[in-house]
Amino acid sequence: DRYQRRVHGELTQGFVAATAAGTALAVATRRFIDVRPALKRGIVGRFIPMAAGTASNCVNIPLMRSAELQKGISVFDDEGNEIGKSTKAGKKAVGQVLLSRIVMAAPAACLTPILMSQLEKKMKVFQRLPVLVLPTQMALVGLNLMFCTPMACALFSQRQRVPLSQLEPRFQGLKSAAGTPITEGWYNKGL
């Protein structure tokens, strides 16, 4: 029961912080654009959701995975034996996940505004039937995510190899059960 309350609190904290970061960036950017006529007429405003989503990810992922940043993640030898917990490996894992999430969202958030801007200018159907704009945007985002999600997840393999020399001093000089030096380990980067 205590565990569930802690997890619920962490989820709530991450959600609220990410939402606040994304909303604050969106509002500030919108105000910045609104007082600059040259930007207001252009396509810049259509990229606000990408910036807001990126800001949300940059806040949410480290918060949700704060235990990995503070306490570390398990590092294993080639036989699958845990050789310790590393905060440096935790930082690498969280950074890789953060980058892959941004890459996952970028095509949908960047291409959709450009494509919709062109479609709305060139296709009269959107002027006659503005109700088609939202479903078209959603279809474009869905197509982007359908292809980009697997590619972004594949940017970094799930099982990441790491030279122990890049980790904390306690990982230096380790030996296997057979007495051979362990120079590399691996960790699960997570999703």
Side-chain angles (χ1 to χ4, degrees):
D1 193 41
R2 186 183 309 160
Y3 174 76
Q4 286 180 334
R5 277 186 297 210
R6 184 179 58 89
V7 169
H8 180 46
E10 288 173 2
L11 289 172
T12 302
Q13 177 188 17
F15 177 77
V16 169
T19 302
T23 302
L25 183 72
V27 169
T29 306
R30 174 56 59 199
R31 286 188 178 159
F32 180 80
I33 289 170
D34 284 347
V35 296
R36 288 163 180 79
L39 291 177
K40 195 172 183 178
R41 287 189 302 272
I43 195 170
V44 175
R46 291 187 184 228
F47 291 99
I48 292 174
M50 174 62 185
T54 300
S56 294
N57 270 330
C58 289
V59 170
N60 185 288
I61 292 170
L63 275 175
M64 292 290 94
R65 297 183 63 177
S66 63
E68 295 173 33
L69 296 170
Q70 295 167 356
K71 297 176 186 171
I73 60 173
S74 296
V75 178
F76 302 91
D77 64 14
D78 286 335
E79 284 86 46
N81 302 312
E82 184 176 338
I83 55 177
K85 291 200 178 286
S86 169
T87 56
K88 289 185 178 184
K91 288 175 187 172
K92 285 182 181 219
V94 170
Q96 290 167 337
V97 169
L98 183 58
L99 180 60
S100 67
R101 295 276 180 94
I102 291 169
V103 168
M104 184 187 309
C110 293
L111 293 177
T112 303
I114 293 168
L115 289 171
M116 286 307 299
S117 177
Q118 294 303 311
L119 288 173
E120 288 173 30
K121 287 178 188 172
K122 294 181 180 179
M123 295 181 72
K124 302 288 184 212
V125 70
F126 290 113
Q127 293 166 2
R128 282 183 287 141
L129 296 168
V131 72
L132 294 178
V133 172
L134 184 59
T136 304
Q137 285 178 337
M138 297 304 290
L140 288 171
V141 168
L143 282 170
N144 270 297
L145 290 177
M146 187 168 56
F147 293 104
C148 295
T149 299
M151 288 188 284
C153 287
L155 271 178
F156 304 102
S157 69
Q158 191 68 28
R159 189 172 159 164
Q160 286 289 307
R161 295 206 61 76
V162 61
L164 297 185
S165 61
Q166 293 180 4
L167 301 180
E168 292 83 355
R170 68 179 171 279
F171 288 96
Q172 316 309 311
L174 293 178
K175 295 191 185 283
S176 69
T180 58
I182 303 173
T183 59
E184 274 194 335
W186 62 270
Y187 60 87
N188 183 338
K189 82 164 169 62
L191 293 174

